Amino acid sequence: MPASFELPDITQRAWEVLLRGLAGNPSAPAEILIRLTAANIDRSGLARRRDLPAEAAAALATDSDVDVRLGLASNPNLPPTVQVVLAGDADPQVRGRLAEGAEYFTTSGVHGRRIPGPLSREVYEVLARDPEPKVRRALGFNRHLPDDVRAVMLNDSDPRTAAIAAAEWPSAPTDRIGDLLARVTGAFGRQMLLLRLDGPLPAEAAHAMLADLDSAAANEYSMALLGQIAEVVDLDAGLTDRFMASPDFRAAVAANPTLSAEYVADLAHDPDNQVRAAVVARCGLDPALRESIPVDYNDRSSETVGWLLTENLSEQEQLAFARSRHQIFRKTLALRADLSEEVVEILARDESFAVRLFVCERQSNAPGWLLTQIVEQWTSYSRWDMLRHKNFPADAATRLACSDKPHDRAVAAAHPGLSADTLETLLADDDDTVRGRAATNPAVPADRLIELLGSADSVIAAGAAANRVLSVVTMRQMVDQAGL
């Protein structure tokens, strides 16, 4: 049974610190989260919680603080009734945030970006009629916008809204591509639309765009658009000759799936490394030809092969790509979630730092020795998540906790494998972030956690309140005492 939580002399400011920490506690049950909606704290973090109960979301939807409603509008797990309330919010920023349905970042030992699910049909229709153009523009970016609603938006009175609605059409229907491209003005808008094309760009539409581009002054957007056309158009003889003749577009045309086999074979020996790389990345290329093509890769490049992420690969095919001479295939393979232990082990020993990094960021069975190695070399945001990986060794976390660099100590401070002595050292650290994260460590004993809740150090108190092993009994005592 946890110790009783009783702080009779605590100040209002101290209560705010504790309740704000509790609002971020991953173990806080629905009943606590609902009661916290009435707390005199910054509730915007509470509003963004993915596990926010419907009753709490409904209460926050009418919160007087616009930052709270903005946080709620970013939450991907809102019930339709709350979506309707936010769609009618007095502040266009809130309506726009809801309308966009922007991607959000999530981790659970491995990295990933997610797209919120669809809004309700009623909400889409309400937002499409919003009086503010910037709200309708935001709606045009929504990946789940129903096709019939998007089609109506192509005729929006605001030209920019119409352009966004066309350019952001996911998998734009090939039979409407000519009409869609005609409605979009400017090279940048057309580029965005071509990114959503669900098949080859019809040659007729390409010729019309090329005539338009040829009659205007060249700029960076028009050059990029030409390269994009070269990559996705259904090539005819004239288009093939035009793009093959230009050194600027040979790499783009080399990636075009409609390019005839004789041209592919020729480009496989092109002196330009970028052109050969584009040939290598083609889907369906003969494996023997692919492995015979020499390509130099930039280890820090973020380029991957899209089709390899979705292709249904056998175990043998996975192993072949894991042993490929081409880094881009090994790097892309490391992003897949269906890899066998053998494939992960091969990639974990890859010569490329980028491949090994992706293994640590994306694979739930990444080996502990590799996680240790990468954490020692990598300082970006994913380093924090590697410490939470189930395979990260406690001894490696302890070494980081003893580092002379505050960032290292902060990264290690929440690892559950730290000893009591190491934790106490971190709780006395000079750095606020280190002390706060140490207080969230699940290895803190229950009695010590109660003591930390009463700490005069606000970062320690807030961290203790956010500690996931804090008992529900103590949480209830806290909100009771706070008068919620």
Side-chain angles (χ1 to χ4, degrees):
M1 187 73 176
S4 177
F5 179 77
E6 185 68 33
L7 295 174
D9 299 324
I10 194 169
T11 65
Q12 180 61 36
R13 170 60 182 157
W15 271 119
E16 291 176 10
V17 167
L18 286 173
L19 295 177
R20 188 171 66 249
L22 187 57
N25 191 310
S27 299
E31 61 174 291
I32 299 296
L33 299 179
I34 291 169
R35 294 171 71 179
L36 285 171
T37 61
N40 184 27
I41 58 173
D42 178 359
R43 296 175 297 280
S44 56
L46 177 65
R48 289 190 292 270
R49 285 188 64 130
R50 308 286 184 252
D51 59 350
L52 192 66
E55 185 178 340
L60 294 174
T62 57
D63 198 285
S64 60
D65 187 341
V66 68
D67 288 336
V68 173
R69 304 197 308 277
L70 280 168
L72 190 65
S74 302
N75 194 315
N77 296 329
L78 298 177
T81 52
V82 175
Q83 294 174 9
V84 170
V85 173
L86 293 176
D89 194 276
D91 194 310
Q93 293 182 88
V94 174
R95 306 195 304 272
R97 183 77 60 86
L98 177 71
E100 185 176 358
E103 291 183 4
Y104 63 95
F105 183 77
T106 184
T107 68
S108 54
V110 293
H111 267 16
R113 287 193 178 276
R114 304 288 185 269
I115 299 173
L119 300 171
S120 70
R121 173 74 189 198
E122 177 186 359
V123 169
Y124 283 127
E125 293 177 348
V126 168
L127 293 171
R129 298 191 300 268
D130 196 280
E132 286 285 343
K134 61 184 177 182
V135 174
R136 304 197 303 277
R137 292 171 188 173
L139 184 63
F141 285 103
N142 194 297
R143 300 278 187 92
H144 298 294
L145 186 63
D147 284 355
D148 59 330
V149 176
R150 188 177 292 278
V152 172
M153 291 179 69
L154 297 180
N155 300 312
D156 195 278
S157 58
D158 173 51
R160 189 171 177 184
T161 296
I164 292 171
E168 290 293 319
W169 197 314
S171 300
T174 301
D175 60 354
R176 293 204 56 194
I177 194 66
D179 176 55
L180 292 171
L181 289 169
R183 288 178 181 274
V184 177
T185 57
F188 180 72
R190 288 170 170 172
Q191 275 185 269
M192 294 300 294
L193 181 57
L194 292 183
L195 288 173
R196 305 292 190 268
L197 193 62
D198 66 350
L201 173 69
E204 182 181 354
H207 282 293
M209 276 198 292
L210 290 172
D212 190 20
L213 290 170
D214 290 341
S215 65
N219 56 47
E220 61 177 312
Y221 290 124
S222 62
M223 290 297 289
L225 177 58
L226 283 168
Q228 203 168 349
I229 293 171
E231 189 170 342
V232 302
V233 67
D234 188 2
L235 290 163
D236 60 21
L239 291 168
T240 301
D241 290 343
R242 170 171 178 158
F243 290 125
M244 286 290 290
S246 173
D248 292 332
F249 305 120
R250 285 170 70 83
V253 79
N256 191 307
T258 68
L259 185 66
S260 59
E262 65 267 25
Y263 285 109
V264 173
D266 182 49
L267 291 174
H269 305 287
D270 197 277
D272 189 313
N273 187 72
Q274 189 176 1
V275 174
R276 298 196 306 276
V279 173
V280 163
R282 290 177 63 91
C283 182
L285 190 69
D286 177 71
L289 174 60
R290 176 180 286 131
E291 291 301 306
S292 73
I293 303 172
V295 177
D296 294 324
Y297 293 97
N298 180 351
D299 197 44
R300 294 288 176 170
S301 169
S302 61
E303 292 182 5
T304 56
V305 181
W307 59 264
L308 188 60
L309 290 172
T310 57
E311 197 85 352
N312 185 19
L313 300 178
S314 68
E315 173 72 10
Q316 289 306 309
E317 287 171 326
Q318 285 190 10
L319 288 169
F321 281 118
R323 294 171 175 140
S324 172
R325 71 181 291 180
H326 298 295
Q327 180 209 77
I328 196 165
F329 289 106
R330 307 193 308 271
K331 185 193 299 183
T332 305
L333 194 67
L335 298 175
R336 290 179 61 119
D338 61 346
L339 303 184
S340 68
E341 293 281 350
E342 183 179 3
V343 171
V344 170
E345 181 64 25
I346 292 171
L347 296 175
R349 300 183 184 279
D350 198 275
E351 64 181 10
S352 164
F353 177 82
V355 174
R356 302 195 305 273
L357 173 65
F358 280 11
V359 168
C360 291
E361 289 185 338
R362 297 299 184 95
Q363 298 303 319
S364 62
N365 55 350
W369 62 264
L370 178 62
L371 289 160
T372 300
Q373 179 190 101
I374 297 299
V375 163
E376 289 174 351
Q377 303 174 49
W378 187 242
T379 58
S380 188
Y381 59 88
S382 60
R383 192 183 196 214
W384 300 84
D385 303 303
M386 291 177 201
L387 264 291
R388 293 201 292 268
H389 197 291
K390 63 184 176 67
N391 292 341
F392 193 86
D395 59 345
T398 299
R399 288 196 301 274
L400 279 177
C402 298
S403 169
D404 59 358
K405 298 176 181 177
H407 185 269
D408 286 351
R409 301 196 301 276
V411 168
H415 192 279
L418 299 181
S419 68
D421 289 344
T422 301
L423 274 174
E424 288 302 322
T425 299
L426 294 173
L427 286 168
D429 199 276
D430 291 336
D431 188 271
D432 287 355
T433 304
V434 175
R435 297 196 310 279
R437 278 180 59 83
T440 69
N441 195 303
V444 176
D447 290 346
R448 180 62 172 137
L449 195 54
I450 297 299
E451 293 176 10
L452 297 180
L453 288 171
S455 173
D457 185 335
S458 61
V459 297
I460 288 181
N467 194 308
R468 60 184 169 89
V469 300
L470 190 68
S471 73
V472 174
V473 171
T474 300
M475 293 183 197
R476 290 192 186 113
Q477 290 172 340
M478 290 172 67
V479 293
D480 285 346
Q481 227 181 308
L484 297 177

